């Protein structure tokens, strides 16, 4: 077994979400880890869907390093693939397949590093692997695990293996997705005065969202929060006053404006005319640049965070939004072998040399962490 063959093996399990069906791949991953001396737990997410938590070498005194990733992948899209998306074909130095970059390659590299780091000089606090189901639709597997009262223990540091081309990123914005509804009273369109137009209410609300400026300072890492209305629906027929309309709001938050603050501002701005329901609520992640773990990872990855133009934050959300606060705001770094621009694409691939490099990087970080 090596990182290439393991990535290919993981790609062969179809975990397109929905429906995910992560149970089989979870058991496969867990069996390999158990074979290598890990204690493996399969907290159930839902029927046919499991999370995996595997630990080895826990000391009780020193908290372990956590490596995390998700087992589900996104649908294939309408365009036909050049290779079988579940085969994991390797050519031109690339491994092709759904999930190669996002993020079965990352899971495979984490497993190989976690297994190999015990060969000599085992890490002081041990290693904990957390592999989740149903990440792609809003970190639901991780949220369920947390909500179930599972004892996640403590952690000294955490790596999230999402695609970063092996360059460390120290945070990402949060995501607050809201469904907004307005209601009214229907009537014939020739007598609008007898009705109460729900679309006008939605339009007023959308107008005020366009004008809304969050009065917060710029975050050093993540910049300013943003807001966008992405969809709008309303009315049933041309000649009626609509009694229902709805639209969706997407807020990208920062530590300067967390999701709770953003929601309160929106609720106040839009008033009782608009009914707001949270659909996804994931806070921002930002690890201090001068944290010793960040310095260690930067050194292992040969990255200078002081260099101009260097990317420091991921453009996507991760399970860290759930796991980091749960683990007492553990220093968190997003670092994985995949190519971020390949995530969710047709003909998704991961560079073979980056998979191999990721194993070495993870291993070094695990072994140097806390020394
Ligand atoms: Zn991902």
């Amino acid at each position: 077994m090596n990182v290439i063959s393991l990535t290919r093996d993981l790609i062969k399990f179809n975990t397109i979400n929905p429906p995910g069906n992560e149970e089989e791949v979870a058991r496969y991953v867990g069996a390999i880890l158990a074979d290598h001396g890990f204690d493996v737990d399969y907290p159930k997410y839902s029927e046919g869907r499991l999370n995996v938590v595997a630990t080895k070498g826990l000391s009780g005194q020193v908290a372990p390093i956590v490596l995390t990733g998700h087992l589900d992948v996104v649908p294939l899209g309408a365009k036909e693939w050049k290779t079988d998306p579940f085969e994991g074909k390797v050519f031109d130095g690339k491994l092709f397949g759904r999930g190669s970059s996002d993020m079965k390659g990352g899971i495979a590299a984490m497993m190989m590093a976690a297994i190999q780091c015990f060969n000599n000089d085992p890490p002081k606090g041990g290693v904990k692997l957390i592999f989740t189901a149903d990440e792609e639709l809003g970190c639901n597997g991780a949220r369920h695990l947390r909500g179930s009262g599972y004892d996640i223990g403590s952690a000294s540091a955490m790596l999230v293996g999402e695609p970063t081309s092996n360059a460390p990123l120290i945070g990402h914005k949060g995501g607050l997705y809201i469904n907004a509804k307005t209601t009214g009273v229907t009537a014939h369109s020739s007598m609008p005065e007898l009705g109460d137009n729900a679309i006008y209410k939605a339009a007023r609300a959308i107008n005020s969202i366009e004008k809304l400026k969050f009065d917060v300072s710029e975050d050093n890492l993540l910049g300013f929060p943003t807001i966008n209305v992405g969809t709008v629906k309303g009315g049933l027929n041309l000649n009626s006053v609509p009694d229902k309309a709805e639209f969706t709001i997407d807020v990208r938050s920062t530590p300067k404006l967390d999701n709770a603050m953003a929601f309160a501002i929106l609720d106040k701005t839009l008033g009782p005319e608009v009914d707001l329901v949270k659909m996804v609520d994931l806070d921002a992640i930002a690890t201090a640049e001068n944290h010793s773990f960040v310095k260690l990872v930067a050194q292992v990855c040969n990255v200078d965070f002081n260099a101009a133009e260097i990317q420091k934050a991921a453009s996507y959300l991760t399970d860290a939004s759930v796991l980091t606060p749960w683990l007492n705001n553990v220093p968190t770094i997003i670092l994985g072998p995949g190519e971020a621009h390949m995530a969710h694409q047709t003909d998704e691939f991961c560079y073979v040399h980056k998979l191999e490099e990721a194993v070495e990087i993870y291993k070094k970080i695990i072994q140097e962490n806390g020394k």
Side-chain angles (χ1 to χ4, degrees), residues 14 41 118 135 161 288:
N14 179 343
D41 214 4
F118 287 95
E135 185 272 347

Side-chain angles (χ1 to χ4, degrees), residues 124-146:
K124 255 196 208 149
V127 176
K128 178 174 289 189
L129 300 170
I130 304 174
F131 297 147
T132 61
D134 201 5
E135 185 272 347
E136 292 286 1
L137 299 177
C139 305
N140 299 316
R143 284 199 297 139
H144 181 271
L145 189 63
R146 186 178 185 183

Side-chain angles (χ1 to χ4, degrees), residues 70 72 101-103 135-136 161-163 316-318 343-344:
H70 61 86
D72 59 327
S101 266
D102 184 16
M103 55 161 288
E135 185 272 347
E136 292 286 1
E162 295 279 5
Y316 43 74
L317 293 160
T318 76
H344 305 196

